[in-house]
Amino acid sequence: MNPETEYREGLDELAAHYKDILKLLGEDVEREGLLKTPMRVAKAMQVLTRGYQMDAHQVLREALFKEDYTQMVIVKDIDFFSLCEHHMIPFYGKAHVAYIPNGYITGLSKIARVVDIYSHRLQVQERMTLQIKECIEQTLHPLGVMVVVEARHMCMQMRGVEKQNAITTTSDFSGAFNQAKTRQEFMNLIHNKS
């Protein structure tokens, strides 16, 4: 499915609601610049929330490979965009994911896809961090998983406290990452810019 050309059921109804919202904001929905806006926004929202239609566990299962490697596997600087569920305003940043295999590895791109799936839902950063970790943990059964997410929240930049440079960092970990030494190795590796 191509999220930019194939849309889910309810698209017309969603567009009708956006037309009503524009009216409630005081706009003239018949003016040239807004004629197609309700449908554009409806399509955009379906793209931005396409993660509801995807199974992150299945994505990992489709690329499972038996391997005896037992050292840390890190995919860092995974760009993501999401919508804050409180204001439906974007937050964006980078996710860093590590796991220590326990007999199986997965395709590296699948880790990035897991981040995409959970970020393409109405979210809070804390839950998204936990969901990414739990998905990898439950599907790969590794010796440990650690996820760090660093994000800028437009709801803090555009409204409210209006702090443009604030970055929120969340983390979650399990297994071997319960050891401070292992966590520190991961943190050193994700912040190494070489």
Side-chain angles (χ1 to χ4, degrees):
M1 179 180 140
N2 180 345
E4 292 291 343
T5 58
E6 297 174 31
Y7 298 97
R8 302 190 302 270
E9 192 175 318
L11 185 64
D12 290 330
E13 187 178 358
L14 195 54
H17 286 296
Y18 279 113
K19 187 172 185 177
D20 289 341
I21 289 168
L22 287 170
K23 287 178 192 174
L24 289 169
L25 291 173
E27 271 293 353
D28 173 8
V29 295
E30 299 305 319
R31 72 179 174 88
E32 183 182 14
L34 290 179
L35 285 175
K36 295 182 180 178
T37 297
M39 184 55 75
R40 285 188 194 110
V41 176
K43 287 178 178 180
M45 289 304 292
Q46 283 200 354
V47 169
L48 296 172
T49 60
R50 68 182 181 262
Y52 290 117
Q53 310 307 121
M54 300 175 180
D55 182 346
H57 298 270
Q58 184 58 33
V59 165
L60 291 178
R61 282 192 294 269
E62 288 172 357
L64 270 183
F65 306 102
K66 183 133 184 65
E67 194 62 53
D68 290 331
Y69 186 78
T70 57
Q71 299 302 311
M72 199 179 303
V73 176
I74 300 173
V75 182
K76 69 178 190 173
D77 295 330
I78 303 167
D79 293 316
F80 75 88
F81 296 89
S82 192
L83 290 176
C84 164
E85 70 179 30
H86 300 144
H87 302 98
M88 291 179 66
I89 295 176
F91 68 96
Y92 61 95
K94 294 185 181 300
H96 315 285
V97 180
Y99 73 99
I100 299 173
N102 185 19
Y104 288 91
I105 60 171
T106 189
L108 298 175
S109 68
K110 304 309 180 190
I111 300 294
R113 293 247 328 187
V114 167
V115 172
D116 279 347
I117 289 168
Y118 289 114
S119 67
H120 281 87
R121 299 176 181 186
L122 298 182
Q123 275 293 11
V124 295
Q125 182 175 333
E126 297 87 343
R127 182 189 318 117
M128 187 178 88
T129 304
L130 174 65
Q131 288 173 328
I132 294 165
K133 184 214 56 162
E134 286 182 342
C135 177
I136 294 166
E137 188 173 54
Q138 293 166 4
T139 309
L140 299 181
H141 307 290
L143 299 174
V145 182
M146 185 161 178
V147 177
V148 172
V149 176
E150 301 169 308
R152 294 180 183 272
H153 291 252
M154 297 299 284
C155 59
M156 282 182 61
Q157 294 177 315
M158 296 174 62
R159 54 159 305 282
V161 295
E162 296 183 6
K163 300 301 177 212
Q164 282 70 37
N165 297 310
I167 296 174
T168 301
T169 302
T170 51
S171 68
D172 200 355
F173 52 87
S174 66
F177 289 95
N178 284 312
Q179 298 174 15
K181 182 179 175 185
T182 308
R183 283 195 312 276
Q184 190 57 54
E185 178 185 353
F186 172 63
M187 297 304 286
N188 290 343
L189 289 167
I190 67 171
H191 290 109
N192 179 0
K193 296 301 179 190
S194 61

